[in-house]
PDB file of all heavy atoms in Angstrom:
ATOM      1  N   ALA A   1      11.035 -37.951  -3.611  1.00  0.00           N
ATOM      2  CA  ALA A   1      11.909 -38.552  -4.624  1.00  0.00           C
ATOM      3  C   ALA A   1      12.643 -37.506  -5.454  1.00  0.00           C
ATOM      4  O   ALA A   1      13.551 -37.831  -6.211  1.00  0.00           O
ATOM      5  CB  ALA A   1      11.094 -39.458  -5.539  1.00  0.00           C
ATOM      6  N   GLY A   2      12.230 -36.254  -5.323  1.00  0.00           N
ATOM      7  CA  GLY A   2      12.869 -35.189  -6.093  1.00  0.00           C
ATOM      8  C   GLY A   2      12.359 -35.063  -7.508  1.00  0.00           C
ATOM      9  O   GLY A   2      12.968 -34.389  -8.331  1.00  0.00           O
ATOM     10  N   SER A   3      11.232 -35.712  -7.805  1.00  0.00           N
ATOM     11  CA  SER A   3      10.705 -35.659  -9.167  1.00  0.00           C
ATOM     12  C   SER A   3       9.383 -34.897  -9.248  1.00  0.00           C
ATOM     13  O   SER A   3       8.667 -35.022 -10.232  1.00  0.00           O
ATOM     14  CB  SER A   3      10.521 -37.084  -9.704  1.00  0.00           C
ATOM     15  OG  SER A   3       9.640 -37.806  -8.867  1.00  0.00           O
ATOM     16  N   LEU A   4       9.076 -34.122  -8.219  1.00  0.00           N
ATOM     17  CA  LEU A   4       7.825 -33.373  -8.209  1.00  0.00           C
ATOM     18  C   LEU A   4       7.902 -32.192  -9.170  1.00  0.00           C
ATOM     19  O   LEU A   4       8.862 -31.433  -9.169  1.00  0.00           O
ATOM     20  CB  LEU A   4       7.504 -32.864  -6.799  1.00  0.00           C
ATOM     21  CG  LEU A   4       6.246 -32.012  -6.689  1.00  0.00           C
ATOM     22  CD1 LEU A   4       5.014 -32.862  -6.952  1.00  0.00           C
ATOM     23  CD2 LEU A   4       6.153 -31.365  -5.332  1.00  0.00           C
ATOM     24  N   SER A   5       6.874 -32.069  -9.976  1.00  0.00           N
ATOM     25  CA  SER A   5       6.755 -30.936 -10.880  1.00  0.00           C
ATOM     26  C   SER A   5       5.474 -30.195 -10.505  1.00  0.00           C
ATOM     27  O   SER A   5       4.372 -30.736 -10.679  1.00  0.00           O
ATOM     28  CB  SER A   5       6.678 -31.423 -12.327  1.00  0.00           C
ATOM     29  OG  SER A   5       6.169 -30.413 -13.164  1.00  0.00           O
ATOM     30  N   TRP A   6       5.603 -28.987  -9.986  1.00  0.00           N
ATOM     31  CA  TRP A   6       4.408 -28.226  -9.609  1.00  0.00           C
ATOM     32  C   TRP A   6       3.563 -27.905 -10.834  1.00  0.00           C
ATOM     33  O   TRP A   6       2.343 -27.858 -10.759  1.00  0.00           O
ATOM     34  CB  TRP A   6       4.778 -26.958  -8.832  1.00  0.00           C
ATOM     35  CG  TRP A   6       5.111 -27.298  -7.412  1.00  0.00           C
ATOM     36  CD1 TRP A   6       6.342 -27.318  -6.834  1.00  0.00           C
ATOM     37  CD2 TRP A   6       4.184 -27.723  -6.410  1.00  0.00           C
ATOM     38  NE1 TRP A   6       6.247 -27.737  -5.532  1.00  0.00           N
ATOM     39  CE2 TRP A   6       4.923 -27.980  -5.242  1.00  0.00           C
ATOM     40  CE3 TRP A   6       2.807 -27.931  -6.379  1.00  0.00           C
ATOM     41  CZ2 TRP A   6       4.338 -28.423  -4.065  1.00  0.00           C
ATOM     42  CZ3 TRP A   6       2.222 -28.358  -5.197  1.00  0.00           C
ATOM     43  CH2 TRP A   6       2.980 -28.590  -4.063  1.00  0.00           C
ATOM     44  N   THR A   7       4.219 -27.708 -11.963  1.00  0.00           N
ATOM     45  CA  THR A   7       3.473 -27.498 -13.206  1.00  0.00           C
ATOM     46  C   THR A   7       2.644 -28.738 -13.525  1.00  0.00           C
ATOM     47  O   THR A   7       1.468 -28.640 -13.891  1.00  0.00           O
ATOM     48  CB  THR A   7       4.440 -27.199 -14.371  1.00  0.00           C
ATOM     49  OG1 THR A   7       5.248 -26.085 -14.022  1.00  0.00           O
ATOM     50  CG2 THR A   7       3.698 -26.911 -15.656  1.00  0.00           C
ATOM     51  N   GLY A   8       3.247 -29.915 -13.334  1.00  0.00           N
ATOM     52  CA  GLY A   8       2.531 -31.165 -13.562  1.00  0.00           C
ATOM     53  C   GLY A   8       1.360 -31.329 -12.611  1.00  0.00           C
ATOM     54  O   GLY A   8       0.284 -31.782 -13.015  1.00  0.00           O
ATOM     55  N   VAL A   9       1.551 -30.957 -11.343  1.00  0.00           N
ATOM     56  CA  VAL A   9       0.468 -31.050 -10.361  1.00  0.00           C
ATOM     57  C   VAL A   9      -0.679 -30.129 -10.749  1.00  0.00           C
ATOM     58  O   VAL A   9      -1.850 -30.524 -10.734  1.00  0.00           O
ATOM     59  CB  VAL A   9       0.980 -30.720  -8.937  1.00  0.00           C
ATOM     60  CG1 VAL A   9      -0.175 -30.584  -7.955  1.00  0.00           C
ATOM     61  CG2 VAL A   9       1.958 -31.782  -8.460  1.00  0.00           C
ATOM     62  N   ILE A  10      -0.348 -28.901 -11.111  1.00  0.00           N
ATOM     63  CA  ILE A  10      -1.384 -27.927 -11.487  1.00  0.00           C
ATOM     64  C   ILE A  10      -2.149 -28.401 -12.720  1.00  0.00           C
ATOM     65  O   ILE A  10      -3.383 -28.388 -12.742  1.00  0.00           O
ATOM     66  CB  ILE A  10      -0.770 -26.524 -11.708  1.00  0.00           C
ATOM     67  CG1 ILE A  10      -0.304 -25.960 -10.352  1.00  0.00           C
ATOM     68  CG2 ILE A  10      -1.757 -25.581 -12.376  1.00  0.00           C
ATOM     69  CD1 ILE A  10       0.597 -24.749 -10.456  1.00  0.00           C
ATOM     70  N   PHE A  11      -1.413 -28.843 -13.737  1.00  0.00           N
ATOM     71  CA  PHE A  11      -2.095 -29.333 -14.944  1.00  0.00           C
ATOM     72  C   PHE A  11      -2.876 -30.612 -14.665  1.00  0.00           C
ATOM     73  O   PHE A  11      -3.931 -30.844 -15.257  1.00  0.00           O
ATOM     74  CB  PHE A  11      -1.106 -29.533 -16.099  1.00  0.00           C
ATOM     75  CG  PHE A  11      -0.781 -28.257 -16.819  1.00  0.00           C
ATOM     76  CD1 PHE A  11       0.477 -27.696 -16.717  1.00  0.00           C
ATOM     77  CD2 PHE A  11      -1.731 -27.603 -17.594  1.00  0.00           C
ATOM     78  CE1 PHE A  11       0.777 -26.513 -17.380  1.00  0.00           C
ATOM     79  CE2 PHE A  11      -1.450 -26.427 -18.253  1.00  0.00           C
ATOM     80  CZ  PHE A  11      -0.189 -25.878 -18.140  1.00  0.00           C
ATOM     81  N   GLY A  12      -2.381 -31.451 -13.761  1.00  0.00           N
ATOM     82  CA  GLY A  12      -3.111 -32.666 -13.385  1.00  0.00           C
ATOM     83  C   GLY A  12      -4.435 -32.339 -12.708  1.00  0.00           C
ATOM     84  O   GLY A  12      -5.472 -32.939 -13.013  1.00  0.00           O
ATOM     85  N   VAL A  13      -4.408 -31.355 -11.802  1.00  0.00           N
ATOM     86  CA  VAL A  13      -5.640 -30.939 -11.120  1.00  0.00           C
ATOM     87  C   VAL A  13      -6.599 -30.301 -12.124  1.00  0.00           C
ATOM     88  O   VAL A  13      -7.805 -30.572 -12.109  1.00  0.00           O
ATOM     89  CB  VAL A  13      -5.324 -29.983  -9.956  1.00  0.00           C
ATOM     90  CG1 VAL A  13      -6.579 -29.339  -9.395  1.00  0.00           C
ATOM     91  CG2 VAL A  13      -4.582 -30.728  -8.848  1.00  0.00           C
ATOM     92  N   LEU A  14      -6.073 -29.458 -13.028  1.00  0.00           N
ATOM     93  CA  LEU A  14      -6.922 -28.839 -14.050  1.00  0.00           C
ATOM     94  C   LEU A  14      -7.512 -29.891 -14.990  1.00  0.00           C
ATOM     95  O   LEU A  14      -8.684 -29.786 -15.383  1.00  0.00           O
ATOM     96  CB  LEU A  14      -6.136 -27.792 -14.849  1.00  0.00           C
ATOM     97  CG  LEU A  14      -5.804 -26.500 -14.099  1.00  0.00           C
ATOM     98  CD1 LEU A  14      -4.896 -25.605 -14.938  1.00  0.00           C
ATOM     99  CD2 LEU A  14      -7.067 -25.764 -13.709  1.00  0.00           C
ATOM    100  N   ALA A  15      -6.728 -30.907 -15.333  1.00  0.00           N
ATOM    101  CA  ALA A  15      -7.237 -31.978 -16.190  1.00  0.00           C
ATOM    102  C   ALA A  15      -8.368 -32.720 -15.489  1.00  0.00           C
ATOM    103  O   ALA A  15      -9.399 -33.031 -16.103  1.00  0.00           O
ATOM    104  CB  ALA A  15      -6.112 -32.938 -16.560  1.00  0.00           C
ATOM    105  N   SER A  16      -8.199 -33.007 -14.200  1.00  0.00           N
ATOM    106  CA  SER A  16      -9.255 -33.676 -13.433  1.00  0.00           C
ATOM    107  C   SER A  16     -10.514 -32.824 -13.385  1.00  0.00           C
ATOM    108  O   SER A  16     -11.633 -33.338 -13.502  1.00  0.00           O
ATOM    109  CB  SER A  16      -8.778 -33.970 -12.015  1.00  0.00           C
ATOM    110  OG  SER A  16      -7.732 -34.903 -12.033  1.00  0.00           O
ATOM    111  N   LEU A  17     -10.339 -31.521 -13.223  1.00  0.00           N
ATOM    112  CA  LEU A  17     -11.476 -30.605 -13.212  1.00  0.00           C
ATOM    113  C   LEU A  17     -12.205 -30.641 -14.559  1.00  0.00           C
ATOM    114  O   LEU A  17     -13.442 -30.712 -14.604  1.00  0.00           O
ATOM    115  CB  LEU A  17     -11.008 -29.183 -12.900  1.00  0.00           C
ATOM    116  CG  LEU A  17     -12.076 -28.093 -12.918  1.00  0.00           C
ATOM    117  CD1 LEU A  17     -13.077 -28.303 -11.788  1.00  0.00           C
ATOM    118  CD2 LEU A  17     -11.439 -26.724 -12.807  1.00  0.00           C
ATOM    119  N   CYS A  18     -11.445 -30.630 -15.648  1.00  0.00           N
ATOM    120  CA  CYS A  18     -12.061 -30.677 -16.983  1.00  0.00           C
ATOM    121  C   CYS A  18     -12.795 -31.994 -17.223  1.00  0.00           C
ATOM    122  O   CYS A  18     -13.888 -32.004 -17.801  1.00  0.00           O
ATOM    123  CB  CYS A  18     -11.003 -30.457 -18.063  1.00  0.00           C
ATOM    124  SG  CYS A  18     -10.374 -28.769 -18.103  1.00  0.00           S
ATOM    125  N   VAL A  19     -12.219 -33.108 -16.782  1.00  0.00           N
ATOM    126  CA  VAL A  19     -12.880 -34.410 -16.930  1.00  0.00           C
ATOM    127  C   VAL A  19     -14.186 -34.418 -16.148  1.00  0.00           C
ATOM    128  O   VAL A  19     -15.220 -34.900 -16.629  1.00  0.00           O
ATOM    129  CB  VAL A  19     -11.940 -35.556 -16.484  1.00  0.00           C
ATOM    130  CG1 VAL A  19     -12.682 -36.868 -16.349  1.00  0.00           C
ATOM    131  CG2 VAL A  19     -10.789 -35.706 -17.472  1.00  0.00           C
ATOM    132  N   SER A  20     -14.154 -33.872 -14.928  1.00  0.00           N
ATOM    133  CA  SER A  20     -15.365 -33.818 -14.102  1.00  0.00           C
ATOM    134  C   SER A  20     -16.434 -32.953 -14.756  1.00  0.00           C
ATOM    135  O   SER A  20     -17.606 -33.341 -14.824  1.00  0.00           O
ATOM    136  CB  SER A  20     -15.036 -33.264 -12.716  1.00  0.00           C
ATOM    137  OG  SER A  20     -14.142 -34.098 -12.049  1.00  0.00           O
ATOM    138  N   LEU A  21     -16.042 -31.785 -15.236  1.00  0.00           N
ATOM    139  CA  LEU A  21     -17.003 -30.899 -15.905  1.00  0.00           C
ATOM    140  C   LEU A  21     -17.563 -31.539 -17.167  1.00  0.00           C
ATOM    141  O   LEU A  21     -18.753 -31.403 -17.463  1.00  0.00           O
ATOM    142  CB  LEU A  21     -16.355 -29.552 -16.224  1.00  0.00           C
ATOM    143  CG  LEU A  21     -16.096 -28.647 -15.020  1.00  0.00           C
ATOM    144  CD1 LEU A  21     -15.289 -27.417 -15.431  1.00  0.00           C
ATOM    145  CD2 LEU A  21     -17.397 -28.234 -14.358  1.00  0.00           C
ATOM    146  N   ASN A  22     -16.714 -32.256 -17.910  1.00  0.00           N
ATOM    147  CA  ASN A  22     -17.185 -32.943 -19.112  1.00  0.00           C
ATOM    148  C   ASN A  22     -18.266 -33.961 -18.747  1.00  0.00           C
ATOM    149  O   ASN A  22     -19.294 -34.047 -19.421  1.00  0.00           O
ATOM    150  CB  ASN A  22     -16.025 -33.623 -19.827  1.00  0.00           C
ATOM    151  CG  ASN A  22     -16.486 -34.370 -21.052  1.00  0.00           C
ATOM    152  OD1 ASN A  22     -17.078 -33.813 -21.962  1.00  0.00           O
ATOM    153  ND2 ASN A  22     -16.240 -35.669 -21.068  1.00  0.00           N
ATOM    154  N   ALA A  23     -18.039 -34.723 -17.689  1.00  0.00           N
ATOM    155  CA  ALA A  23     -19.026 -35.730 -17.274  1.00  0.00           C
ATOM    156  C   ALA A  23     -20.333 -35.062 -16.836  1.00  0.00           C
ATOM    157  O   ALA A  23     -21.423 -35.531 -17.182  1.00  0.00           O
ATOM    158  CB  ALA A  23     -18.458 -36.584 -16.146  1.00  0.00           C
ATOM    159  N   ILE A  24     -20.229 -33.970 -16.104  1.00  0.00           N
ATOM    160  CA  ILE A  24     -21.427 -33.262 -15.630  1.00  0.00           C
ATOM    161  C   ILE A  24     -22.226 -32.713 -16.810  1.00  0.00           C
ATOM    162  O   ILE A  24     -23.449 -32.888 -16.888  1.00  0.00           O
ATOM    163  CB  ILE A  24     -21.035 -32.139 -14.653  1.00  0.00           C
ATOM    164  CG1 ILE A  24     -20.515 -32.753 -13.344  1.00  0.00           C
ATOM    165  CG2 ILE A  24     -22.211 -31.204 -14.387  1.00  0.00           C
ATOM    166  CD1 ILE A  24     -19.797 -31.759 -12.440  1.00  0.00           C
ATOM    167  N   TYR A  25     -21.534 -32.074 -17.750  1.00  0.00           N
ATOM    168  CA  TYR A  25     -22.242 -31.501 -18.899  1.00  0.00           C
ATOM    169  C   TYR A  25     -22.748 -32.577 -19.856  1.00  0.00           C
ATOM    170  O   TYR A  25     -23.769 -32.386 -20.508  1.00  0.00           O
ATOM    171  CB  TYR A  25     -21.370 -30.468 -19.614  1.00  0.00           C
ATOM    172  CG  TYR A  25     -21.319 -29.171 -18.850  1.00  0.00           C
ATOM    173  CD1 TYR A  25     -20.156 -28.738 -18.238  1.00  0.00           C
ATOM    174  CD2 TYR A  25     -22.462 -28.387 -18.700  1.00  0.00           C
ATOM    175  CE1 TYR A  25     -20.125 -27.566 -17.507  1.00  0.00           C
ATOM    176  CE2 TYR A  25     -22.436 -27.215 -17.972  1.00  0.00           C
ATOM    177  CZ  TYR A  25     -21.266 -26.812 -17.379  1.00  0.00           C
ATOM    178  OH  TYR A  25     -21.251 -25.655 -16.654  1.00  0.00           O
TER     179      TYR A  25
END
């Protein structure tokens, strides 16, 4: 669609990682 933001993808993956770590801890 031409609306991909690699910065958004990276921050989205990092956010998911932080949510997962929060749940584990």
Side-chain angles (χ1 to χ4, degrees):
S3 59
L4 177 68
S5 162
W6 282 106
T7 304
V9 170
I10 291 167
F11 279 111
V13 170
L14 288 174
S16 294
L17 177 66
C18 290
V19 168
S20 298
L21 288 173
N22 179 58
I24 291 166
Y25 284 112

